[in-house]
Amino acid sequence: MSPSETSDPWTVSRMIAWAADDFRSKGSDSPRLDAELLLGRILDKDRVALIMEAGRPLNDDELRAFKQLVVRRRRGEPIAYILGQREFYGHVFRVDKNVLVPRPDTEILVGLALKETQKNDQFGLALDLCTGSGCVAVSFALERPNWRVTATDLSAGALGVARANAERLGASWSLNFREGSLFECIAPGTKFDVIVSNPPYIPSGEIAELKADIKDFEPRIALDGGPKGFDLVDVIIQQAPNFLAPGGLLALEIGAGQAPHTASLMRAQGFVDTASHADYGHIERVVTGRIAERDA
Ligand code: GLN
């Protein structure tokens, strides 16, 4: 039932239930959460406060503003773009249409880079290729304040978002941002201890099959990995050995079913100890490999 079909007041709980039903029918994976986040933005309340005020009626301005956000979400616009932010690795990142919305599964990349560098938290060099919002580079830099982190992206718009996130979250002093394609903007001879990347890896032909939230709103340049999805992955694996210190680690996020090709390409390029790491949905999401230590 639409709120306009009854004379009961349009309370917080009724508006949330109505919007959640609507989002559910449009295929949202998290309809209630979506509704709570949007109403929370209008009322400037967190989710707990909304529950406490479940019976509070909304005034006309609040209703009008909420319905405008509901219309945007109904068309598929990701909640993160509507709110302009998304939480990742415990930090709030600003996001806009220049960058992919940070996914929880990508937190695994950060976790692997941190585990790798536990033994040497004093100094090291890390590189994040295709940084997007900067979520991986900034989250890593905040945990390893003695390290220098270089973050690159082809998109000037994305780098603007990443820089602003680094500044807001207090990580800009340990980060360098470079605009360019993959290793093109890295000085030859630079050797990193860790290289991470969440590059575009979706096969071009599969983009049209993605949910509207993704295909109609997220930047194609951040998703499209070429005919088989491996255009960037292949270049990263081929060139990474030139930019890794002996013993250095490459950790790459990839899509469902892409781990075997990724790992075998790494081995063909001389990487050792290759391994796949599952995401929260048990999909092999990150492949790691190491450049062998030189014999003493
Ligand atoms: N994981 C994202 C998705 O499935 C894609 C991210 C990427 O291409 N790097 O939509």
Side-chain angles (χ1 to χ4, degrees), residues 155-171:
S155 153
L159 278 180
V161 174
R163 271 201 190 94
N165 278 321
E167 234 156 77
R168 267 190 46 259
L169 293 166

Side-chain angles (χ1 to χ4, degrees), residues 100 103 198-202 210 214 218 222-224 253 285:
L100 205 66
R103 317 292 206 244
N198 173 18
Y201 53 66
I202 298 179
L210 298 173
I214 303 176
E218 297 201 273
L223 296 166
D224 192 341
E253 178 173 325
R285 175 67 63 197

Side-chain angles (χ1 to χ4, degrees), residues 216-269:
D216 295 344
F217 290 92
E218 297 201 273
R220 190 174 174 116
I221 189 181
L223 296 166
D224 192 341
K228 295 198 166 137
F230 288 116
D231 281 9
L232 284 91
V233 168
D234 286 355
V235 173
I236 294 172
I237 295 174
Q238 279 155 14
Q239 297 188 3
N242 300 329
F243 294 93
L244 275 168
L249 185 90
L250 173 64
L252 276 183
E253 178 173 325
I254 37 87
Q258 293 180 331
H261 170 89
T262 307
S264 77
L265 191 69
M266 278 192 192
R267 286 189 291 270
Q269 292 296 320

Side-chain angles (χ1 to χ4, degrees), residues 114-159:
L114 289 174
K115 191 163 161 233
E116 170 71 14
T117 54
Q118 229 162 15
K119 55 189 183 300
N120 175 20
D121 66 357
Q122 286 315 303
F123 179 76
L125 291 181
L127 173 63
D128 175 29
L129 299 168
C130 311
T131 197
S133 64
C135 62
V136 171
V138 171
S139 301
F140 177 86
L142 288 171
E143 302 290 325
R144 292 280 176 268
N146 292 316
W147 279 55
R148 300 289 305 162
V149 182
T150 300
T152 76
D153 207 289
L154 188 57
S155 153
L159 278 180

